[in-house]
Amino acid sequence: MCYILYKKKANNSNIDLEVERLKKEHRVNKDGTGIMYRYDGKEWEFTKFLGADNNINNIIDKYNQVCEKNYDEVIVHLRYATSGDKSYDTTHPIIGENNKYVFHNGVIRSLEFDNKSDTQNIGRFYDKFMSISPEFWDNLIVNNKVIICENNKKTILYNDYLGNWINKDLWESRPN
């Protein structure tokens, strides 16, 4: 299953731990890596790694480069492909409707249709799901961890209790 590391505010007190976790999780989750970040309240930026570029040295170099600056938030997603092909389009972040960025850890088989992965369909239909009701959304993603980064720079973690808050600024999708 995929791995997500979410870090808010420029706090590098756990950088060695973060790098070790990324190295450990990359051994299993090698189907694509995305690193998304933003600085000084500006728009989100991201880098995706696939194929030969998706090696741990490139990932750690980029992560360290991002963390050296005064970032607002950083999200790393290491993909283990359970649905969809291994491509740029299925590597997170998935860009959904209304410029929402989606990160997902889990499997929702009912959302695998139209030759899209479950995460791609979260991006396509998130606003529709929320317009039905928040309860509908909660029932849909039960036992899945999802991060939605809205175009107004608001970040929402769903089911974060299923992961591990290492401290108030650092979360990972897999509990210890």
Side-chain angles (χ1 to χ4, degrees):
M1 186 136 346
C2 302
Y3 176 78
I4 304 171
L5 183 72
Y6 169 70
K7 186 172 171 174
K8 57 184 178 176
K9 300 180 184 164
N11 178 352
N12 291 321
S13 62
N14 294 301
I15 194 76
D16 293 335
L17 171 67
E18 296 157 30
V19 167
E20 286 309 309
R21 295 273 171 89
L22 292 172
K23 287 179 180 178
K24 175 185 171 200
E25 293 295 335
H26 186 263
R27 290 183 201 126
V28 176
N29 302 291
K30 294 184 174 190
D31 296 331
T33 299
I35 301 176
M36 191 168 85
Y37 47 93
R38 64 186 182 93
Y39 301 109
D40 302 321
K42 296 180 181 167
E43 295 296 316
W44 289 102
E45 299 176 45
F46 60 85
T47 302
K48 294 184 180 186
F49 299 95
L50 292 164
D53 290 333
N54 188 32
N55 70 66
I56 194 61
N57 293 327
N58 287 348
I59 295 164
I60 297 303
D61 286 349
K62 182 63 178 181
Y63 186 72
N64 284 330
Q65 178 187 32
V66 168
C67 289
E68 287 173 3
K69 296 182 180 177
N70 189 28
Y71 61 87
D72 297 321
E73 294 174 281
V74 180
I75 304 170
V76 180
H77 184 277
L78 304 173
R79 183 167 188 249
Y80 182 88
T82 55
S83 69
D85 58 354
K86 298 173 187 174
S87 69
Y88 186 86
D89 290 338
T90 57
T91 299
H92 302 202
I94 301 296
I95 303 171
E97 61 182 29
N98 298 319
N99 291 322
K100 289 183 174 72
Y101 298 95
V102 179
F103 295 87
H104 172 224
N105 177 220
V107 177
I108 307 173
R109 294 285 179 219
S110 63
L111 289 181
E112 295 172 4
F113 58 87
D114 290 344
N115 293 318
K116 302 284 185 192
S117 72
D118 50 357
T119 309
Q120 288 173 301
N121 282 323
I122 288 172
R124 288 171 65 196
F125 299 113
Y126 173 76
D127 287 339
K128 290 175 184 67
F129 296 146
M130 292 303 285
S131 71
I132 293 169
S133 79
E135 293 80 23
F136 176 83
W137 170 249
D138 290 342
N139 289 329
L140 183 66
I141 64 163
V142 67
N143 297 322
N144 286 256
K145 286 133 328 214
V146 177
I147 300 176
I148 304 286
C149 302
E150 296 187 6
N151 55 6
N152 64 0
K153 300 175 191 75
K154 181 179 177 185
T155 301
I156 305 168
L157 277 72
Y158 291 100
N159 295 334
D160 63 321
Y161 65 90
L162 295 172
N164 179 36
W165 280 101
I166 295 168
N167 62 42
K168 67 182 179 62
D169 297 325
L170 182 62
W171 177 85
E172 63 180 348
S173 61
R174 205 174 305 249
N176 283 340

